[in-house]
DNA sequence: GAGTGGTCTAGACCACTTC
DNA sequence: AAGTGGTCTAGACCACTCA
């Protein structure tokens, strides 16, 4: 038994995903009907529907009553969704760069103000771990980030976590499940201090993102305010319309 | 029969959505189990699951095997998702403004270059309808937009469509279904000409969005390059993690 | 009329959590 | 042991599309 117990619907799902992603089926191509698939895999129609439905919400396919199921993407040129979340991902403009260097500029405990309390589901004056870090590729400054974490959730966290990947720490050391995030994106002029870090001039444009990240139990564990170097970053998003009628 | 034929699962879905949105159930609260709901509505468990699943995909709830189903949002303070698409919406910073004025600056036919051909699924030198418009609230400039439409899809379109809502025209006059869009967001410095329109200085930051919009048949019908006045706009996005395990 | 997807049933067995 | 959600079955009737 080297095979784990993968549900049948996931097998079907992956099989279809594969022929879409490798370009065997192209945009607009017809996918086998539910009846055909249930015959092929020897499963009930409801099981096929579970696979199909997942592909539908992920935007791989679209369906028409009476007509069939069609491939939505042309070879999915756009995104492997390299990020952690579906539907939204930051993309480096220049594919030859990548973050390989985290410098922690500040690491201290502060007290919660009203806005932080609201975002992090805390009370005013609760303790917060505050981290300020700069991400670079070699000597190219890419991201300036301020993180706010509830101290009681991370009583023993140390500075060196933030020199590596904080999310990896949360997921692999603490074994928490990251579930959701809400972000707001703006264009902002660089302040003098961030401009210095970015080796740019004060007033130059940057992408500014404020973000709250949640675990699968609904708890907010991280609030961040981030500047992305506009020379190297864009954000990409694919949105599928909800059904209306 | 004043009631339309609404599927039962949608009734269940809406009932649950209601008690979440009006705050009766708060973040972390337990929702009735599948067995309870199927008893209450006198339907099979699979039907309840369809309702629950939709709420899950939309991020209203989260589930734990063996424990139950819980409310994910605290009163859904964040978004009615006022836009057309789920998961991503532009939000005015100042809620007292709104676009009430479209000025068409340019309306002409041009020929397709390579990039446009790729984005709009056309051939080089195919005809394109090009529109340049400025959206304002009174005399506050909000959005500067360049639209590129395949001429063969809109052979008889007129300028006045763009003084109102182009999307309303597509959906309500042509009765096409808008299904998907892909966007890329950057921070850009205003060019001299756009700065003039925005009554700002050259070099000030703006949000720049390039976007392709698709119909439900997979056809791209619109490519746009848009500057959003950074003083009045931010973009908001809620992202739910795909299952990984 | 044949084929498609949309809705729905009344069961079943399993894995996981809580007591 | 009892309750929860996760997977799955083998049917059914319907509305829609296309030939």
């Amino acid at each position: 038994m080297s095979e784990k117990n993968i549900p049948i619907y996931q097998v079907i799902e992956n099989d279809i995903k594969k022929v879409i992603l490798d370009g065997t089926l192209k945009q607009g191509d017809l996918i086998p009907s539910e009846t055909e698939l249930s015959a092929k895999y020897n499963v009930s129609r409801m099981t096929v529907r579970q696979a199909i439905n997942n592909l539908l919400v992920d935007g791989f396919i679209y369906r028409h009553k009476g007509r069939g199921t069609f491939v939505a993407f042309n070879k999915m040129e756009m995104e492997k969704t390299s990020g952690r979340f579906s539907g939204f991902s930051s993309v480096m403009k220049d594919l030859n760069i990548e973050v390989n260097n985290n410098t922690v500029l500040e690491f201290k405990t502060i007290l919660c103000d009203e806005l932080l309390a609201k975002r992090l589901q805390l009370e005013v004056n609760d303790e917060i771990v505050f981290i300020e870090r700069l991400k670079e590729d070699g000597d190219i400054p890419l991201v300036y980030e301020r993180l706010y974490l509830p101290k009681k959730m991370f009583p023993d966290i140390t500075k060196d976590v933030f020199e590596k990947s904080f999310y990896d720490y949360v997921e692999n050391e603490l074994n928490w499940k990251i579930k959701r995030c809400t972000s707001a994106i703006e264009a902002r002029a660089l302040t003098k201090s961030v401009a210095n870090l970015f080796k740019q001039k004060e007033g130059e444009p940057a992408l500014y993102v404020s973000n709250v990240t949640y675990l699968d139990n609904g708890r907010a564990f991280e609030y961040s305010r981030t500047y992305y170097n506009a020379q190297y970053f864009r954000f990409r998003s694919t949105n599928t319309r909800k059904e209306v009628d």
Side-chain angles (χ1 to χ4, degrees), chain A:
Chain A
M1 303 272 186
S2 76
E3 289 283 343
K4 291 220 174 179
N5 233 347
I6 300 171
I8 303 179
Y9 75 88
Q10 277 184 23
V11 175
I12 304 175
E13 198 183 321
N14 288 332
D15 284 358
I16 297 174
K17 213 180 279 187
K18 198 176 296 174
V19 294
I20 294 177
L21 288 174
D22 72 12
T24 308
L25 289 185
K26 292 173 191 166
Q27 180 181 95
D29 283 356
L30 199 58
I31 276 180
S33 72
E34 296 182 357
T35 340
E36 287 177 273
L37 288 170
S38 64
K40 174 178 174 189
Y41 289 93
N42 197 25
V43 296
S44 85
R45 221 189 108 204
M46 288 305 283
T47 303
V48 171
R49 276 185 72 79
Q50 183 156 0
I52 293 283
N53 232 308
N54 290 341
L55 295 169
L56 190 67
V57 297
D58 288 349
F60 283 88
I61 57 176
Y62 56 91
R63 319 193 79 187
H64 277 302
K65 196 190 292 189
R67 282 206 263 153
T69 304
F70 305 86
V71 176
F73 279 99
N74 206 359
K75 221 180 185 180
M76 199 101 179
E77 54 177 34
M78 30 205 35
E79 54 174 5
K80 306 284 168 189
T81 311
S82 63
R84 278 161 206 276
F85 293 97
S86 61
F88 189 63
S89 55
S90 71
V91 182
M92 312 262 187
K93 286 183 181 177
D94 178 347
L95 294 174
N96 292 323
I97 62 164
E98 79 184 286
V99 174
N100 54 25
N101 191 0
N102 281 338
T103 309
V104 177
L105 305 171
E106 182 68 88
F107 179 85
K108 63 181 178 187
T109 301
I110 62 173
L111 295 185
C112 203
D113 64 19
E114 266 187 42
L115 190 141
L116 288 174
K118 191 174 169 194
R119 295 280 180 274
L120 287 172
Q121 308 165 351
L122 298 175
E123 306 289 329
V124 173
N125 287 330
D126 280 355
E127 284 187 317
I128 299 262
V129 181
F130 171 76
I131 302 98
E132 200 183 3
R133 77 215 287 219
L134 181 68
K135 301 183 175 191
E136 296 168 290
D137 173 21
D139 56 357
I140 303 175
L142 298 174
V143 180
Y144 167 75
E145 191 172 50
R146 282 166 295 175
L147 301 177
Y148 304 82
L149 319 176
K151 175 108 178 178
K152 62 183 175 190
M153 293 181 73
F154 304 94
D156 304 317
I157 202 165
T158 54
K159 184 178 162 180
D160 65 288
V161 166
F162 302 95
E163 280 153 1
K164 303 166 203 160
S165 167
F166 172 52
Y167 276 28
D168 281 355
Y169 172 77
V170 169
E171 294 192 297
N172 301 324
E173 301 289 320
L174 301 177
N175 284 313
W176 292 350
K177 284 199 182 174
I178 299 172
K179 184 62 180 178
R180 226 178 83 240
C181 71
T182 64
S183 317
I185 308 177
E186 305 174 24
R188 285 205 181 175
L190 285 175
T191 60
K192 198 164 192 173
S193 61
V194 183
N196 279 339
L197 292 170
F198 277 5
K199 300 172 188 169
Q200 295 183 336
K201 288 181 200 152
E202 189 179 353
E204 298 238 20
L207 276 169
Y208 175 85
V209 176
S210 63
N211 177 76
V212 183
T213 315
Y214 300 85
L215 301 175
D216 66 346
N217 59 13
R219 187 112 52 225
F221 75 95
E222 176 207 44
Y223 174 59
S224 64
R225 294 162 169 160
T226 311
Y227 285 87
Y228 291 86
N229 189 327
Q231 289 177 15
Y232 299 102
F233 280 96
R234 69 161 59 94
F235 283 81
R236 184 170 269 175
S237 144
T238 296
N239 306 296
T240 304
R241 187 93 175 261
K242 286 178 201 278
E243 278 316 312
V244 236
D245 61 322

